[in-house]
Amino acid sequence: MTNTVPKILIVGGGYAGFYTAWKLEKHLRKGEADVTIVDPLPYMTYQPFLPEVAAGSIEARHSVVALRRHLKKTNVVAAKVTGINHANKVATITPIAGEPYEFEYDQIVVTAGAVSRTFPIPGIADNAIGLKTIEEAVAIRDKLMSNFDKASTLPAGPERDRLLTVVVVGGGFAGIEVFAELRSLASSLVKSYPQLTFDDTHFHLIEAMGRIMPEVSLKTSEWVLKNLAKRGASVHLDTQVTGAVGGNIELSTGETIPSDLIIWTAGVMANPTVVRGGDLPVEERGRIRTRADLRVGTEDEVVEGAWAAGDVSAVPDLTGGGVGGYCVPNAQHAVRQAKLLAKNLVAVLRGELPREYIHKNLGAVAGLGLWVGVFQSGNIALKGWIAWLAHRGYHGLAMPSWERKWRVLWGWWNNFWLGRDMVNLSTVQNPRYVFEEFAARPRPPQPVEAPADTAAPAAAPAKKAPARKAPAKVAADAEKVAAN
């Protein structure tokens, strides 16, 4: 390319994309490279906080990191990368406003993340909601609170039961956490609704496998099941959803659960828009084939100028602990891969060799509602309130930037004394509803009257007669007033 300054294009502003750009700003010398990050959203979402956002324990805005505030030396473009022609090192960028255009680069970093993976089950696409974005978490919270408002006005019966029934599909960490957090939220809400009782609320988790939370030991997962059962929640193992039409969730066991809130957390897949829209090599599960040094390619072949990290990539797990030999798609790997990727990219620009990514999983920690959590690291397992503190401590420190950390910690501190924020803002989805209801509108045009029929001239004088008499009556009235 004619430009002497290398252009680095980062596709996606999630975990891996944000951290790559953040660390490149630290490692690159002034004028050494020009970095551009492309994402339709102006923020990075800290996804481990989504269950707590859904439960009203964390303010939604505190769970995201503004790209423009924290990436001072990076060009932030609000757009999608809809095509990658790496053979010519050109990407097609489709902005949120305006026409698509081509962007030339020297190095491309694909960190487009993952989206919810669903199956062609009737009704799921139309009636369920995922838990991958901050918008989904907020919608789940407001939906549950709105359903409580509606149910409180109804007599006991099928419709009220449906409004107060929550179904979560998927027993991994995300599913269990949002399931337990919403159970905790519902328990708090019942105290504010004298018309409702705890027994009126129903929570069901559907898991196709014979156990939940494969990231922890079987003993720990069984403790979680017992804890959920004590809190009035039902877990259906070895069960699949076969339909979700008309507010009825049909299960492979033959059971039907009426519900107005279906949350889908049964797996993720690499962002198909980016993966299918490019010419980079893809493995059988739809992820970009990535080497251990985070360059795109295989062990024997390198795709020069292309890098990948996070959920969109298939990075070999050199510790031997990964599923199928690859790093599992979680935040722990995405952040650490991004930090190394930034160092490796700078090293390659300077003619040095990159290092391979090796990270042994530190363990898993999950929050299960206020004062309840689990922690697993090797054979060490913690349960209850001490694990809950470990969960908040770990994620509080892992949140990028001190500015974000303080906002989250301050929110937790306030909630400790004031209780969780239970304000329902579901009408934010339609913010103009009050304005539209009372706004003055132009009157519709009145129909034009047809001209009088000339064949009936006698009718006209009869209509005008009162008008001719009116002035005489007014004059007579005036004379009476003067005489008095």
Side-chain angles (χ1 to χ4, degrees):
M1 299 178 63
T2 57
N3 193 338
T4 58
V5 178
K7 289 185 177 182
I8 301 174
L9 174 62
I10 301 176
V11 183
Y15 276 118
F18 171 78
Y19 269 95
T20 298
W22 207 25
K23 295 306 176 181
L24 281 175
E25 291 190 349
K26 176 181 178 181
H27 300 310
L28 286 170
R29 303 187 187 107
K30 185 176 181 179
E32 190 172 10
D34 182 29
V35 182
T36 298
I37 187 168
V38 178
D39 195 290
L41 298 175
Y43 50 78
M44 181 214 86
T45 301
Y46 191 75
Q47 293 185 4
F49 282 159
L50 293 182
E52 289 197 61
V53 171
S57 296
I58 295 181
E59 164 61 37
R61 290 178 301 170
H62 298 170
S63 303
V64 299
V65 181
L67 300 181
R68 297 182 188 277
R69 175 165 185 169
H70 294 281
L71 299 179
K72 302 295 187 181
K73 305 174 186 177
T74 302
N75 303 315
V76 179
V77 179
K80 289 183 179 181
V81 172
T82 53
I84 298 174
N85 181 358
H86 191 68
N88 296 312
K89 291 192 174 180
V90 173
T92 301
I93 296 180
T94 303
I96 58 176
E99 297 297 322
Y101 61 92
E102 292 188 340
F103 182 93
E104 296 183 355
Y105 61 83
D106 295 282
Q107 303 281 337
I108 189 169
V109 179
V110 183
T111 53
V115 298
S116 296
R117 182 192 63 184
T118 58
F119 306 101
I121 300 172
I124 288 296
D126 299 321
N127 301 314
I129 186 171
L131 190 67
K132 291 292 292 179
T133 68
I134 195 71
E135 293 83 2
E136 289 174 324
V138 172
I140 289 170
R141 180 195 66 193
D142 290 342
K143 179 73 169 180
L144 182 60
M145 291 183 176
S146 295
N147 283 358
F148 264 76
D149 288 332
K150 295 175 184 177
S152 66
T153 66
L154 297 175
E159 180 58 20
R160 193 171 80 171
D161 288 342
R162 190 179 72 87
L163 289 170
L164 297 178
T165 298
V166 177
V167 174
V168 176
V169 185
F173 253 62
I176 290 295
E177 284 191 288
V178 73
F179 184 66
E181 290 285 358
L182 290 179
R183 173 68 273 181
S184 178
L185 171 61
S187 299
S188 298
L189 288 174
V190 166
K191 300 173 184 177
S192 302
Y193 291 85
Q195 307 90 339
L196 305 175
T197 67
F198 178 87
D199 292 334
D200 291 328
T201 61
H202 313 282
F203 281 73
H204 297 269
L205 184 134
I206 316 301
E207 170 53 45
M209 305 298 291
R211 58 163 296 180
I212 61 171
M213 303 175 74
E215 300 89 345
V216 302
S217 68
L218 180 60
K219 184 178 180 180
T220 300
S221 70
E222 289 174 346
W223 180 89
V224 174
L225 288 174
K226 292 178 182 178
N227 180 269
L228 291 173
K230 289 179 182 178
R231 294 156 64 184
S234 301
V235 178
H236 306 254
L237 300 178
D238 294 314
T239 305
Q240 297 177 350
V241 174
T242 58
V245 179
N248 293 309
I249 292 82
E250 299 174 0
L251 307 181
S252 57
T253 58
E255 184 179 0
T256 298
I257 304 174
S259 174
D260 194 51
L261 180 54
I262 310 167
I263 304 168
W264 182 274
T265 65
V268 298
M269 64 179 180
N271 190 320
T273 301
V274 173
V275 172
R276 298 171 187 170
D279 57 357
L280 297 175
V282 178
E283 47 91 68
E284 56 274 6
R285 294 190 61 184
R287 298 172 296 180
I288 294 177
R289 194 176 296 279
T290 310
R291 294 161 46 92
D293 60 11
L294 304 176
R295 289 184 289 182
V296 174
T298 63
E299 185 177 350
D300 302 321
E301 185 178 358
V302 178
V303 178
E304 295 293 343
W307 307 75
D311 295 356
V312 78
S313 64
V315 179
D317 189 341
L318 300 184
T319 68
V323 178
Y326 295 102
C327 296
V328 296
N330 62 22
Q332 192 175 138
H333 280 304
V335 170
R336 287 168 173 81
Q337 288 171 6
K339 291 179 178 179
L340 178 62
L341 192 157
K343 291 181 179 179
N344 282 352
L345 203 163
V346 172
V348 168
L349 291 179
R350 296 173 183 172
E352 302 170 3
L353 293 176
R355 294 189 294 111
E356 293 185 331
Y357 175 75
I358 302 177
H359 171 69
K360 186 173 178 60
N361 199 323
L362 298 177
V365 61
L368 304 176
L370 289 178
W371 308 109
V372 184
V374 291
F375 169 81
Q376 182 88 46
S377 180
N379 294 325
I380 301 175
L382 301 176
K383 310 176 188 71
W385 68 271
I386 188 68
W388 179 81
L389 288 177
H391 162 76
R392 286 208 161 179
Y394 172 80
H395 287 298
L397 292 174
M399 187 70 177
S401 84
W402 281 105
E403 179 256 338
R404 291 285 102 179
K405 286 180 174 66
W406 280 118
R407 292 184 189 275
V408 172
L409 293 174
W410 184 246
W412 281 338
W413 176 254
N414 287 334
N415 285 352
F416 178 78
W417 298 104
L418 304 176
R420 77 174 85 211
D421 193 339
M422 294 166 60
V423 175
N424 175 11
L425 294 178
S426 60
T427 51
V428 140
Q429 309 299 325
N430 181 24
R432 297 183 66 250
Y433 79 100
V434 173
F435 182 83
E436 290 177 341
E437 182 179 356
F438 297 103
R441 290 178 169 82
R443 292 184 178 181
Q446 299 298 318
V448 179
E449 294 185 3
D453 190 352
T454 56
K463 292 182 179 178
K464 295 181 179 179
R468 289 197 298 268
K469 295 179 181 180
K473 183 178 183 298
V474 173
D477 291 341
E479 290 178 359
K480 291 180 181 179
V481 173
N484 293 333

